[in-house]
Amino acid sequence: QVQVVESGGGWVQPGGSLRLSCEVSGRTFTPWRMGWFRQVPGKEREYVASITWIGGSTYYADFVKGRFTISKDNAKNMLYLRMNNLKPEDTAVYLCGIRPTMERNEFHFWGQGTQVTVSS
């Protein structure tokens, strides 16, 4: 019942910036956390960042700290990821995930993701 659409990806040179967006619609509920993940073909999905939906506490993977900023707009059911100082190793499909509860550390994925390519 949940629909997720990621957008904002594209091609940038190393050191460039992008802002990703995730729009959630369909089933009405208040998630515990929403997060960004990324995936490269043939590799496991990788955690990037997350934010608690009500409190707004943010969490980041070490490799993006100081470069990426996760944010949200509760009224619009939107999740964002501002990515600065992008590196070639950031190239991946970025996916928006939803963690429904605090009790279960599980993120659910419904979208197709948005491609981010960082190269010279």
Side-chain angles (χ1 to χ4, degrees):
Q1 302 298 118
V2 178
Q3 292 181 316
V4 173
V5 179
E6 299 97 340
S7 61
W11 174 85
V12 293
Q13 296 185 32
S17 299
L18 286 172
R19 190 197 192 199
L20 307 184
S21 298
C22 170
E23 183 177 6
V24 180
S25 61
R27 183 174 181 177
T28 301
F29 75 102
T30 302
W32 168 242
R33 281 193 195 183
M34 294 186 67
W36 287 99
F37 296 73
R38 65 191 190 186
Q39 191 163 33
V40 176
K43 298 182 65 177
E44 296 179 343
R45 184 182 298 115
E46 185 177 43
Y47 172 82
V48 175
S50 63
I51 185 168
T52 56
W53 197 243
I54 301 301
S57 299
T58 57
Y59 307 86
Y60 297 94
D62 287 343
F63 55 82
V64 303
K65 287 181 178 178
R67 300 191 298 125
F68 292 9
T69 302
I70 189 170
S71 61
K72 61 183 176 65
D73 186 332
N74 298 55
K76 297 180 179 180
N77 281 354
M78 295 287 292
L79 181 72
Y80 306 99
L81 185 69
R82 171 60 56 80
M83 305 185 295
N84 296 325
N85 192 24
L86 283 160
K87 304 176 181 180
E89 52 263 41
D90 295 320
T91 297
V93 173
Y94 282 73
L95 299 160
C96 178
I98 301 172
R99 177 178 169 178
T101 69
M102 179 177 66
E103 290 79 12
R104 296 192 67 180
N105 186 17
E106 296 180 349
F107 282 86
H108 301 175
F109 303 91
W110 284 275
Q112 296 298 111
T114 185
Q115 176 70 47
V116 172
T117 302
V118 186
S119 68
S120 300

